[in-house]
């Protein structure tokens, strides 16, 4: 006989064929040998192990919380079967899916389409100019271009004809009119120019004083174009300076020379002094500046200011010295003195090189000649302006701020129309000619940076109200005004008033837009939200100017005015919504539908407020927009809801209950939205406590839900063909529908979230009971359905039964998940994550019922395999001893191969485990029956079944991927293994096993049959065993008087170990349950025999009867190897002093009787005599309780 050594590592051939169908050809070929079966692995159970679990199959198996499960075909539905009800229920749930948690801007900003157009009003735009104003403005613009002076920048237009042509387009004049206007302007007098010079500071000057520093000051003036050009010296190149200069002679006004203050002891002086010089020839005059180190106590500055005119000088080189001498001699020139200022550097800047827009830069100081040594830089601000203009506006005194405002207005309108005629995103990008004309006019008008910024804001903000501009452009203009506000000289009063008026007009316009916030800046439009952010920033900038004006842009303050505008806008929006959705003239049931829509719109609006608007208003203008809007809209909705509920409560119908149920869900969502935001308390809301009047409607709706669920399940089972839905699922369509329904119920309860714990317990308990009832109702429908299915003749594995089993398992998981999701709040006493006791009981009861249903279907499925399994087991038993065990077990393995392959294909993992457990038990019972039916057979018979048992364990365990060894090697397996082991033992080994089983037996209840106290020890000197029976207690009453007449039989076993030893007995103690014996018995036995593992002393307590056979009261066994003198030698002292042993009486159980049954089947003399002796004792025993 082959061993199982090779089989243990290769048991998967059999189960490989479950999935590959490898045994399909076995019918047409010779049965495989067992050695071939031993060389394969169990792939089916391995596949069961790696099969994706239920949660991971959520997208494939409905009802598990993943994608929506598939439902039966649409044409299979009929009216009134719950389809329409659950379709409406799905819509309600879908509406709530997007209401989980606080909204995110990324979710709300769904549209990138253009922002809605803002309202425009031409009457609020720029004032239209009169014909006369237009003509004078045209003249002013032409004059500006024709008499431009200075250098244009790279981005400006240097083509005079192009600039004139552009102005012709702007003012819309004909060629003749344009030519005449140009000619007229050319004949006018040229403007008088002046150069504005600001001497700001110098740095890194040369140190001329012994202390390492200097006392610098500046002397600057204009070198007129009428002077003779410089002549180069014979040896060194020389530059002009106020000490050594040109050959010019004659009169030179003292005002041509200006001097700064002396800054003592510094190489980085800061002056910030401003001067104006008249320019005679823009193209030829130069600005000259010297920096000197002052070395005298005489104020050169004062001398220069006192001297009106110096006469008779022979050149510029002597002019500065004359000023110094005059200062020292009180105006009278005297002899040269030793006190001479040191030269630090000079600058020569041609007027024609001054940029049109002005210049603010550092100039590097130059030496007077190549021999001079200078260093450092000087920062100057230069600007070329006009002081007199031969134009109408110039003559009327309107040149400057007023003319620039009109010109800017005209150019802005023209540019906007030409570049972005229909766009609201124009950012004021002027064309090259427009920017050049404005730059020329602003410079010639001597407008400061603040004046220019204020003018651009006034014109653009006005134009924006007639034709929308980009708010980013307007914000930039405000930032320019703010940047120059504190640094520049203050504006004239007239200009301040005009700027304040523009602020007021724009703020009023902005507040009007905020009142229609939802129309012009919808939260779902990202571009509109960006425009809103920029508008708020503009209003915030205006607030910064409020302390500077008597005419304020806001009546009471930015925050207050915006809050008032928002509140008015909220009320106007709600009133429009209320009028549209729920007209007062409609009856209550019709208004209910509109009220649900209104509440939904309010909820979505509040989500938008929190997700989009709140952060903008809070960060920019410090307004809690969400709180302001929520409080207002929540109160309005609550008022309308209370009125409608009072009207509809007396008219409660199913339709009204459904509408009220949906309305309550939305109102509850509004409350949760408030509570979910940090730091909010829902108890102060107008909606607090509104759940109470909805309770009757909710109860009615839940009753309807119970009935509709049953109708839906009934309809689903009616059209179910009990076939898998598709290749990826193993359940049928009705299970998908059932799990989907239960999932919807769970989601609905989560959305309901009833706030009152007591009422929630009542609703949840009823809903859980209804769900359990529906689940059991579905299993009944399945049972009836499968009973009507025609089964294939001889089919051992029914596919409909497999589908039903999978349906029950899917239902068990879906219903369990749904029930666990029905938990309700239990107040402060409730523990987090622990189900309420009623729900827990309901969940456990339903799981037990569905588990039992699954076992019932499993038993029905496996019952069809009982006959075939018994035949295969019978074949093993009847096989001749001459064949190998592998060949004997081959038909069984082949049968299991075929059936398990089909089961693996048809069942989910959990159900396959159930079927494997049932098949395992069937196989064990079949083998036990075969062993019981065949007594006194050969040892090969039992060896074949032992081989079969080990082979089946390896197959069903599949190296840890099948059933666990703990479940395989338990129960019937232990009994069968013991039977096989005993059958392979000799008669004496069986008898010894009988006594070993008695020693291992433990009483089920320690005091049921009473106790016996004994003392046992071995006297080595006498080579005898001493047994002392002391007393008994709590014996069973076996007589009619409620007492017994007990005595104790003392014997040694097994008999073949003690063949010469006879049993002994105590005296009978009449009418007692607590007998006292105190009797001593001696047994002459060698110590070596007592040390045998099975050697024991057996105490049997009997009830003595005079007229009939004695009754068995109980027994106890004590191993001889554990008593004193056998386990260890005696050392001094009295043996009687040993402690007594208390033995608990018992009755023999199955494992003890199995050895007895084994001996009964044997024909040898020892076995028959032992059985006969025990039979006499068993006649006195009662059945094992």
């Amino acid at each position: 006989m082959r061993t199982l050594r090779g089989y243990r590592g290769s048991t998967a051939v059999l189960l490989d064929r479950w999935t590959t169908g490898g045994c399909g050809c076995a019918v047409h070929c010779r049965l495989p040998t067992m050695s071939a079966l031993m060389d394969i692995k169990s792939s089916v159970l391995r596949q069961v192990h790696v099969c994706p679990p239920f949660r991971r199959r959520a997208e494939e198996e409905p009802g598990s919380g993943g994608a929506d499960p598939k439902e039966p075909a649409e044409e299979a539905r009929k009216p009134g079967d719950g389809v329409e009800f659950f379709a409406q229920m799905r819509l309600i749930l879908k509406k709530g899916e997007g209401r989980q948690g606080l909204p995110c801007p990324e979710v709300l900003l769904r549209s990138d389409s253009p922002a809605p157009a803002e309202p425009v009003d031409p009457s609020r735009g720029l004032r239209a100019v009169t014909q006369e104003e237009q003509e004078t403005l045209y003249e002013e613009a032409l004059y500006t271009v024709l008499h431009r002076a200075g250098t244009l920048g790279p981005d400006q237009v240097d083509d005079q004809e192009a600039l004139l042509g552009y102005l012709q387009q702007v003012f819309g004049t004909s060629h003749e009119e344009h030519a005449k206007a140009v000619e007229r302007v050319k004949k006018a007098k040229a403007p008088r120019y002046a150069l504005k010079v600001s001497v700001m500071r110098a740095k890194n000057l040369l140190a001329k004083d012994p202390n390492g520093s200097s006392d610098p000051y500046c002397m600057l003036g204009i070198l007129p174009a009428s002077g003779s050009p410089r002549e180069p010296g014979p040896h060194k190149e020389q530059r002009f300076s106020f000490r050594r200069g040109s050959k010019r002679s004659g009169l030179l006004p003292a005002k041509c020379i200006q001097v700064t203050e002396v800054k003592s002891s510094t190489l980085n002086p800061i002056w910030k002094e401003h001067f104006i010089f008249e320019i005679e020839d823009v193209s030829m005059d130069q600005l000259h500046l010297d920096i000197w180190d002052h070395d005298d106590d005489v104020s050169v500055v004062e001398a220069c200011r006192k001297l009106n005119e110096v006469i008779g000088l022979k050149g510029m080189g002597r002019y500065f010295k004359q000023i110094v001498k005059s200062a020292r001699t009180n105006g009278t020139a005297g002899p040269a003195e030793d006190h001479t200022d040191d030269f630090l550097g000079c600058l020569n800047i041609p007027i024609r090189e001054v940029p049109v827009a002005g210049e603010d830069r550092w100039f590097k100081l130059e030496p007077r000649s190549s021999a001079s040594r200078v260093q450092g830089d000087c920062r100057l601000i230069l600007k070329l302006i006009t002081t007199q203009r031969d134009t109408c506006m110039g003559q009327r005194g309107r040149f400057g701020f007023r003319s620039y405002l009109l010109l800017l207005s005209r150019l802005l309108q023209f540019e906007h129309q030409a570049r972005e005629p229909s766009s609201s995103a124009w950012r004021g990008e002027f064309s090259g000619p427009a920017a050049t004309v404005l730059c020329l006019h602003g410079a010639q008008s001597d407008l400061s940076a603040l004046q220019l910024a204020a003018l651009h804001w006034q014109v653009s903000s006005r134009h924006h109200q007639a034709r929308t501009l980009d708010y980013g452009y307007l914000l930039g203009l405000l930032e320019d005004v703010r940047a120059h506000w504190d640094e520049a000289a203050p504006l004239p009063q007239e200009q301040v008033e005009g700027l304040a008026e523009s602020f007021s007009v724009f703020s009023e316009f902005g507040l009007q837009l905020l009142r229609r916030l939802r129309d012009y800046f919808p939260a779902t439009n990202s571009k509109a939200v960006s425009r809103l952010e920029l508008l708020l920033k503009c209003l915030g900038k205006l607030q910064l100017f409020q302390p500077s004006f008597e005419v304020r842009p806001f009546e009471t303050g930015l925050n207050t005015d915006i809050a008032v505008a928002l509140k008015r806008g909220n009320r106007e929006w709600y009133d429009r919504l209320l009028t549209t959705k729920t007209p007062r003239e409609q009856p209550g049931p019709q208004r209910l539908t509109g009220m649900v829509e209104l509440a939904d719109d309010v909820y979505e609006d509040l989500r938008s407020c929190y997700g989009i608007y709140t952060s903008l208003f809070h960060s920019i203008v410090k307004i809690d927009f969400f709180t302001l809007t929520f409080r207002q809209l929540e109160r309005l909705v609550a008022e309308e809801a209370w009125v409608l509920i009072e009207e509809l409560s007396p008219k409660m119908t199913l339709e009204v209950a459904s509408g009220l149920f949906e309305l309550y869900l939305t109102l509850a969502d509004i409350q949760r939205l408030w509570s979910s935001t940090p730091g909010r308390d829902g108890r102060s809301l107008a909606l607090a406590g509104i759940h109470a009047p909805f309770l009757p409607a909710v109860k009615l709706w839940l009753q309807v839900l119970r009935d509709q669920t049953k109708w839906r399940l009934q309809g689903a089972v009616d059209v179910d063909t009990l076939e898998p839905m598709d290749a990826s699922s193993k359940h049928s369509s009705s299970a998908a529908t059932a799990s989907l329904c239960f999932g919807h119920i769970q989601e609905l309860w989560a959305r309901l979230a009833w706030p009152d714990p007591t009422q929630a317990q009542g609703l949840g308990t009823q809903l859980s009971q209804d769900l359990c009832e529906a689940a059991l109702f579905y299993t009944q429908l399945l049972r009836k359905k499968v009973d009507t299915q025609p089964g294939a003749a001889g089919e051992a594995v029914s596919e409909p039964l497999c589908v039903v089993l999978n349906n029950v398992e899917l239902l068990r998981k879906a219903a369990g998940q749904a029930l666990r999701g029905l938990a309700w709040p239990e107040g402060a006493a409730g523990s987090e994550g622990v189900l309420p006791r009623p729900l827990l009981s309901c969940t456990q009861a339903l799981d037990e019922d569905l588990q039992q249903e699954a076992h019932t279907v499993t038993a029905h499925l496996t019952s069809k395999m009982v006959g075939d399994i018994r035949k295969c087991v019978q074949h093993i038993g009847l096989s001749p001893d001459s064949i190998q065990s592998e060949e004997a077990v081959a038909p069984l393995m082949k049968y299991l191969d075929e059936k398990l392959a089909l089961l693996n294909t048809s069942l989910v993992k959990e159900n396959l485990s159930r079927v494997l457990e049932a098949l395992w038990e069937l196989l064990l019972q079949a083998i036990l029956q075969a062993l019981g039916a065949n007594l006194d057979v050969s040892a090969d018979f039992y060896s074949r079944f032992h081989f079969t048992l080990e082979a089946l364990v390896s197959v069903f365990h599949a190296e840890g991927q099948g059933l666990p060894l703990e479940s395989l090697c338990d129960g019937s397996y232990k009994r069968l293994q013991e039977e096989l082991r005993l059958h392979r033992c000799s008669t004496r080994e069986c008898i010894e096993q009988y006594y070993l089983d008695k020693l291992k037996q433990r009483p089920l209840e320690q005091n049921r049959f009473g106790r016996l106290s004994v003392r046992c020890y071995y006297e080595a000197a006498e080579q005898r065993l001493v047994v002392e029976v002391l007393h008994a207690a709590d014996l069973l009453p076996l007589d009619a008087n409620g007492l017994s007449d007990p005595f104790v039989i003392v014997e040694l076993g097994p008999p073949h170990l003690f063949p010469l030893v006879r049993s002994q007995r105590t005296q009978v103690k009449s009418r007692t349950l607590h007998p006292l014996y105190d009797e001593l018995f001696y047994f002459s036995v060698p110590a070596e025999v007592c040390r045998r593992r099975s050697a024991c002393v057996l105490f049997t307590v009997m009830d003595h009867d005079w007229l009939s056979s004695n009754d068995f009261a109980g027994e106890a066994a004590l191993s001889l190897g554990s008593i004193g003198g056998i386990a260890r030698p005696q050392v001094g002292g009295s043996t009687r002093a040993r402690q007594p042993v208390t033995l608990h009486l018992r009755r023999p159980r199955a494992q003890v009787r199995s050895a007895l049954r084994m001996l009964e089947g044997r024909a040898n003399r020892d076995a028959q005599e032992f059985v006969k002796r025990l039979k006499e004792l068993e006649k006195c025993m009662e059945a094992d309780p």
Side-chain angles (χ1 to χ4, degrees), residues 629-835:
T629 303
F630 188 95
R631 289 287 191 183
Q632 186 177 10
L633 295 183
E634 179 263 347
R635 177 179 53 80
L636 294 173
V637 171
E639 292 173 356
E640 190 67 22
W642 280 106
V643 172
L644 190 60
I645 293 171
E646 292 178 359
E647 180 180 347
L648 293 177
S649 294
K651 310 172 185 178
M652 189 65 66
T653 62
L654 173 59
E655 181 181 1
V656 171
S658 299
L660 289 176
F661 183 80
E662 188 174 358
L663 175 60
Y664 172 74
L665 292 179
T666 301
L667 296 180
D669 289 338
I670 294 176
Q671 288 181 283
R672 280 192 291 272
L673 177 62
W674 175 261
S675 301
S676 61
T677 55
R680 312 291 185 180
D681 184 7
R683 292 174 295 182
S684 61
L685 297 179
L687 287 173
I690 202 170
H691 62 278
F694 282 96
L695 183 60
V698 172
K699 288 183 176 180
L700 177 59
W701 193 88
L702 292 180
Q703 293 175 9
V704 175
L705 173 63
R706 175 195 60 197
D707 299 334
Q708 292 286 346
T709 302
K710 290 185 177 180
W711 293 342
R712 183 71 187 94
L713 295 178
Q714 178 72 63
V717 173
D718 289 344
V719 299
D720 196 352
T721 59
L722 294 184
E723 296 177 353
M725 293 179 63
D726 50 42
S728 63
S729 58
K730 297 182 180 181
H731 54 265
S732 63
S733 58
S734 64
T737 301
S739 59
L740 185 63
C741 290
F742 292 161
H744 287 344
I745 293 174
Q746 175 194 351
E747 293 177 29
L748 193 72
W749 177 258
R751 277 212 63 201
L752 186 61
W754 199 258
D756 186 275
T758 303
Q759 296 174 353
Q761 179 178 355
L763 295 174
T765 302
Q766 184 60 50
L767 185 59
S768 61
Q769 293 174 355
D770 293 343
L771 192 148
C772 293
E773 183 181 339
L776 297 178
F777 176 72
Y778 173 72
T779 60
Q780 296 173 6
L781 295 175
L782 282 180
R783 195 180 303 120
K784 293 178 182 178
K785 182 78 174 182
V786 76
D787 290 342
T788 61
Q789 294 287 319
E795 183 182 26
V797 178
S798 170
E799 183 178 5
L801 275 179
C802 291
V803 172
V804 169
L805 187 57
N806 292 333
N807 287 356
V808 173
E809 178 61 20
L810 179 62
L811 178 74
R812 185 183 71 83
K813 292 182 177 180
Q817 180 178 349
L819 284 172
R820 287 189 293 273
L822 296 183
W824 53 81
E826 290 189 306
S831 301
E832 185 70 21
V834 179
L835 293 180

Side-chain angles (χ1 to χ4, degrees), residues 848-886:
E848 292 176 3
D849 290 340
L850 294 180
Q851 291 276 17
Q852 183 60 40
E853 184 69 22
H855 287 301
T856 301
V857 178
T858 301
H860 192 188
L861 180 63
T862 56
S863 64
K864 299 185 178 184
M865 305 170 65
V866 174
D868 295 334
I869 289 176
R870 286 178 178 174
K871 290 179 182 179
C872 294
V873 173
Q874 187 178 9
H875 172 79
I876 298 173
L878 296 179
S879 296
D881 295 342
S882 59
I883 70 171
Q884 297 291 335
S885 297
E886 293 93 331

Side-chain angles (χ1 to χ4, degrees), residues 67 89 286 355 624 755 988 990 1054:
M89 184 171 161
Q286 293 186 34
D624 189 353
R988 289 193 172 185
C990 286

Side-chain angles (χ1 to χ4, degrees), residues 229-276:
R230 292 193 304 263
E231 297 179 1
H235 302 292
K236 298 181 181 179
E237 178 185 359
Q238 294 184 343
R239 296 178 183 271
F240 175 83
S241 74
F242 287 113
R243 184 178 292 272
R244 303 177 57 170
S246 66
K247 307 279 185 159
R248 181 177 177 183
S249 61
L251 298 179
L252 182 64
K255 59 184 178 180
C256 293
I257 301 298
Q258 303 287 344
V259 182
T260 66
E261 292 182 355
V262 176
K263 299 298 180 181
S264 301
S265 302
T266 179
L267 300 180
N268 299 286
I270 299 176
W271 290 290
K272 292 186 179 181
E273 298 187 35
H274 310 284
F275 309 97
I276 298 180

Side-chain angles (χ1 to χ4, degrees), residues 534-549:
L534 294 172
L535 171 61
L536 292 176
K537 288 182 178 180
C538 289
L539 295 176
K541 288 292 181 184
L542 294 184
Q543 176 75 359
L544 299 178
F545 292 98
Q546 188 148 329
S548 304
F549 296 99

Side-chain angles (χ1 to χ4, degrees), residues 50 198 292 296 322 446 545 641 767 917 1088:
V50 300
S198 296
W292 297 86
D296 197 277
Q322 184 64 33
D446 191 19
F545 292 98
L767 185 59
E917 291 173 357
E1088 292 78 9

